[in-house]
Amino acid sequence: MPTTDKAADDLQAVLDKIASWPEPFPEIGRQLHDTILSAGPKLKPRLWYGGCGYATGRSTPVVVFVRVDDGVMSFGVTEKGTSEREDGSLLRPAAWYVDEMDARTLDRVADLVRAAFA
């Protein structure tokens, strides 16, 4: 019986999901995906609640995610991730809407990913 590489299958499922999003989100999604994996090179992508989730293992909790719902793309940190409270409040940043991308934003995403997995 042939064996399958579940991590490779999960990665392909994530790439297929990103490619299926309406414009302009496939390109933004690819950039976010690449940035997330660069910031956390040991991360394992998988489909998660209809979007793309990233965790340290195939069966560990998703910590950051990218998804498109009703024409809106979001990048976020789940409750399993580390995030600092905003100055002057008890709020913790958890998600951001994305409709275009630049290098500065990708750098910020990389910082958020590194912090979330700290």
Side-chain angles (χ1 to χ4, degrees):
M1 173 185 260
T3 61
T4 62
D5 182 347
K6 293 180 181 188
D9 291 346
D10 287 345
L11 173 59
Q12 189 58 55
V14 165
L15 295 174
D16 291 346
K17 182 60 148 180
I18 291 169
S20 77
W21 289 334
E23 291 298 332
F25 302 122
E27 178 58 28
I28 296 169
R30 280 188 294 276
Q31 292 174 326
L32 287 169
H33 172 80
D34 291 345
T35 298
I36 291 166
L37 291 183
S38 291
K42 295 183 180 181
L43 299 182
K44 307 291 185 231
R46 66 177 184 253
L47 294 181
W48 183 74
Y49 292 110
C52 305
Y54 300 83
T56 56
R58 191 166 196 272
S59 60
T60 61
V62 165
V63 175
V64 298
F65 65 88
V66 178
R67 54 185 297 132
V68 174
D69 296 295
D70 299 324
V72 177
M73 175 178 265
S74 56
F75 162 78
V77 177
T78 73
E79 76 282 1
K80 301 297 184 185
T82 303
S83 67
E84 298 297 322
R85 289 191 169 124
E86 293 178 351
D87 288 339
S89 80
L90 299 177
L91 294 172
R92 294 179 186 270
W96 298 262
Y97 297 117
V98 182
D99 59 6
E100 56 186 320
M101 191 53 62
D102 63 10
R104 191 168 165 196
T105 303
L106 289 171
D107 287 344
R108 178 69 179 128
V109 166
D111 291 342
L112 290 165
V113 169
R114 285 188 287 273
F117 284 93

